[in-house]
Amino acid sequence: MRETTVNDAPPHDQAASAGSNARPVPFRGGGFAPQPRKGVGLVVFVALIALAEWGTRTGFITNLTLPRPSDVLITLGELWDSGLLMKHLQPSLTRLAVGAALGVAVGIWVGILIGLFSYVRAGLVPLVAALFPIPKIALLPLFVIWFGIDEGSKYALIAFGTFTPTVVATYGAVDNVDRGLIRMGQSFGLSWASIVRKIVLPGAMPGILSGLRVSLAIAIILLVAAEMLGAEYGIGAYILEAGSLYDLERLFAGVVILSLLGVIVSAVITRIEKRLLRWRG
Amino acid sequence: MELRLDGVSHAYGGTQVLRDITLTVPEGKIVCIVGPSGCGKSTLLRMMGGLERPDEGTITQLGEPPEGCLNPLTYVFQDFALLPWRSVEGNISLALEDHDLSKARRAAIIEDVLARTSLSDFARALPRQLSGGMKQRVAIARALAVNPAVMLLDEPLSALDAQTRVLLMDDLVSLWTRAPFTAVYVTHNLAEAVRLGHRIVVLSRRPGAIREVVEIDSDLGARGEGDAKLEQVQTHLWHLMRDEARAADAELADA
């Protein structure tokens, strides 16, 4: 310690001897560059749950307002033990997978067409803009007539809900592909298909993937909405039933499952991004 | 193969950018096009390679491209235009994939051009890992891979720092001396023009028209630093361009 002070002393002396006008340049840089902070997210989660647990135990929060987190956990355990969890989860995951796959696939396809062809763009962009703000849930009765009361209407609802955000993200991403790279492809005599496959698609991939994040979150929301209307099994049906009985433990157990589903989907997309966008470094 | 331009004129909207350009690019020579910014020299180059259509006039290719030529008119761009998601060899391969070549043949071409541009050690590197000079070397390697009849270089060194520029100029000279190629080289840098050009075409400011064509006979390999004759030519070119450059600088973009 002492050594440091000795070493630090001379510049200080110099500054002092340079006159009373000498002072260090104030630091004004830094910031505006978020860094990864591991574990902070977990701490927030744990703190909130601990607060709820403490509140419900002491009676500071009544049982009517919020269920006790430990009770929710027990309910989840029972759900697992009885095998009901899989019974509810399996149809939900199928609906999510089929609906989202349909919506995303068609959405990416239409988005690319809008991005590449002036007529398709002129014709479809206003249509997509008109469809986007419609709450898809409001159309559910219509879908029931069109696609049947069974799985068909649920697939259609989820597909329709993921379609619009995917289209918007995809054609935006295609618009952002460096035109210089496309000119380069043309100057080397690449075929149209090659330019789309080797330049446009990979160039649009970052935008398409971040659009996918939004689309899949919407898919989970719509999954529950679809199951609230006529489904025997499914996370949505489970939540709806718990809600009408005001069984808060089961309601929250269902909500926790949905949250976990969202976290898993987001993690999967992060994995895909890491793999496909390795070139961005 | 030669390239001939006949009375080429062009306008964007109501603004004329090129006026009556008549010019020949002889085989095995490098033609430099210099001019103040906004004189339409890059537009002219895009027309020579068929990326843009002139309003008036014709651009003709005379004679057959050399044997094994995959893309007669091949560009090297100022911003390199490399696909960031492909490695160095992948970027070169892109230019070959649409042609009917065996895998072995393609690999041989890539190896050959990488060796010629001293990039063999970087075959698997991604563009973001490379310096600007290296990126432009990759773009030059990609252009060489298709064995072009005419190379069209659009300010290829303008995005590089001064030292790298000198190094790359030397590379281009040695590439040319080993195997003379036909090239059109657009630049605003007069030092590059006198170092690399057999023929230097000076354009006036907008609308770009040919002001003068200067021929330099001396051998590319023999041109070096402090060559009195080259300096003289460069000074002459600068005198031609100075007033134009000043006027072009003071112009409003959309006036």
Side-chain angles (χ1 to χ4, degrees):
Chain A
M1 250 338 256
R2 179 171 295 165
E3 219 172 60
T4 353
T5 26
V6 171
N7 279 344
D8 276 350
H12 197 81
D13 282 351
Q14 262 174 9
S17 64
S20 56
N21 267 340
R23 56 189 176 277
V25 173
F27 177 67
R28 306 180 276 182
F32 298 100
Q35 305 286 323
R37 294 276 180 262
K38 276 205 171 135
V40 176
L42 201 67
V43 169
V44 173
F45 254 107
V46 170
L48 279 177
I49 291 169
L51 186 72
E53 183 75 33
W54 170 81
T56 43
R57 270 183 198 280
T58 55
F60 179 70
I61 303 170
T62 62
N63 278 349
L64 266 181
T65 329
L66 209 66
R68 193 175 293 172
S70 52
D71 287 347
V72 174
L73 199 67
I74 291 166
T75 314
L76 271 175
E78 284 168 0
L79 203 60
W80 171 263
D81 287 337
S82 63
L84 267 175
L85 181 67
M86 277 305 136
K87 219 167 181 173
H88 284 298
L89 209 51
Q90 196 260 330
S92 284
L93 288 179
T94 311
R95 285 164 194 150
L96 192 66
V98 173
L102 262 172
V104 166
V106 179
I108 290 178
W109 185 236
V110 172
I112 288 173
L113 292 182
I114 290 179
L116 293 177
F117 298 105
S118 311
Y119 273 105
V120 182
R121 171 180 302 247
L124 291 189
V125 168
L127 184 68
V128 170
L131 291 179
F132 207 165
I134 299 175
K136 309 301 179 293
I137 307 159
L139 297 179
L140 194 54
L142 197 66
F143 283 154
V144 169
I145 302 299
W146 285 0
F147 303 102
I149 186 89
D150 297 330
E151 298 303 294
S153 56
K154 297 176 181 67
Y155 294 158
L157 183 77
I158 296 169
F160 196 46
T162 47
F163 168 76
T164 34
T166 308
V167 169
V168 173
T170 304
Y171 85 71
V174 171
D175 286 351
N176 274 330
V177 174
D178 185 354
R179 297 295 122 162
L181 293 181
I182 294 176
R183 295 280 165 271
M184 181 276 293
Q186 291 178 319
S187 82
F188 276 96
L190 263 59
S191 67
W192 186 87
S194 283
I195 290 177
V196 172
R197 198 159 54 84
K198 294 171 184 170
I199 300 176
V200 175
L201 257 185
M205 202 44 85
I208 293 177
L209 285 177
S210 62
L212 209 58
R213 248 175 227 287
V214 179
S215 314
L216 291 184
I218 291 176
I220 295 176
I221 295 174
L222 287 174
L223 166 75
V224 178
E227 288 178 343
M228 283 182 171
L229 206 121
E232 196 183 347
Y233 290 108
I235 306 298
Y238 178 79
I239 292 177
L240 185 73
E241 193 194 301
S244 41
L245 297 172
Y246 207 73
D247 186 342
L248 282 189
E249 279 80 24
R250 287 174 64 198
L251 183 101
F252 268 74
V255 170
V256 166
I257 294 172
L258 287 180
S259 283
L260 283 177
L261 204 58
V263 171
I264 292 169
V265 165
S266 167
V268 167
I269 295 177
T270 307
R271 286 294 286 269
I272 297 174
E273 273 179 345
K274 279 225 172 94
R275 251 196 92 71
L276 285 184
L277 308 181
R278 207 180 301 154
W279 50 271
R280 288 206 300 195
Chain B
M1 198 179 92
E2 287 188 10
L3 212 54
R4 196 160 71 199
L5 287 78
D6 253 319
V8 170
S9 300
H10 193 68
Y12 285 125
T15 320
Q16 193 164 38
V17 286
L18 288 168
R19 198 180 55 210
D20 196 24
I21 307 272
T22 300
L23 174 74
T24 309
V25 181
E27 180 156 346
K29 302 278 180 207
I30 300 179
V31 173
C32 287
I33 300 177
V34 297
S37 54
C39 72
K41 48 191 193 298
S42 289
T43 308
L44 193 63
L45 197 72
R46 281 202 292 279
M47 288 170 177
M48 289 190 202
L51 287 182
E52 219 165 308
R53 221 173 286 179
D55 288 346
E56 279 170 56
T58 53
I59 298 164
T60 335
Q61 44 188 81
L62 300 168
E64 288 304 308
E67 181 110 351
C69 170
L70 300 174
N71 189 44
L73 303 167
T74 299
Y75 284 92
V76 173
F77 298 95
Q78 179 178 357
D79 60 357
F80 324 128
L82 300 176
L83 302 182
W85 49 86
R86 283 194 178 216
S87 66
V88 167
E89 54 183 4
N91 265 289
I92 298 170
S93 159
L94 178 82
L96 304 172
E97 283 162 12
D98 270 22
H99 297 280
D100 191 21
L101 296 170
S102 70
K103 253 202 173 119
R105 178 88 191 98
R106 205 185 295 161
I109 293 176
I110 294 174
E111 205 187 307
D112 171 52
V113 293
L114 285 178
R116 276 159 76 190
T117 46
S118 12
L119 283 167
S120 301
D121 295 340
F122 302 93
R124 285 174 209 290
L126 284 171
R128 71 175 156 86
Q129 299 172 293
L130 302 176
S131 67
M134 288 302 234
K135 283 184 200 159
Q136 198 54 291
R137 276 200 188 90
V138 177
I140 292 169
R142 178 178 62 189
L144 292 172
V146 294
N147 193 18
V150 180
M151 282 244 256
L152 304 167
L153 302 109
D154 187 6
E155 308 222 13
L157 308 183
S158 297
L160 307 175
D161 62 74
Q163 289 102 42
T164 317
R165 207 177 294 170
V166 173
L167 292 177
L168 246 85
M169 257 197 277
D170 291 345
D171 286 0
L172 283 172
V173 168
S174 71
L175 277 172
W176 189 88
T177 26
R178 261 180 287 157
F181 52 84
T182 316
V184 182
Y185 189 110
V186 163
T187 182
H188 60 253
N189 185 318
L190 298 178
E192 284 172 30
V194 295
R195 180 92 170 81
L196 293 168
H198 295 100
R199 174 180 292 180
I200 299 169
V201 179
V202 184
L203 292 187
S204 66
R205 77 187 154 103
R206 201 171 59 204
I210 295 181
R211 270 203 70 175
E212 196 171 319
V213 178
V214 180
E215 307 267 352
I216 307 179
D217 314 320
S218 62
D219 190 35
L220 279 197
R223 298 180 194 179
E225 297 284 313
D227 187 324
K229 188 161 174 277
L230 291 185
E231 302 233 321
Q232 211 181 329
V233 176
Q234 194 176 331
T235 318
H236 172 65
L237 291 174
W238 175 233
H239 279 299
L240 280 176
M241 274 178 62
R242 188 170 51 194
D243 294 336
E244 302 273 352
R246 186 172 293 147
D249 187 44
E251 250 170 40
L252 288 175
D254 297 317

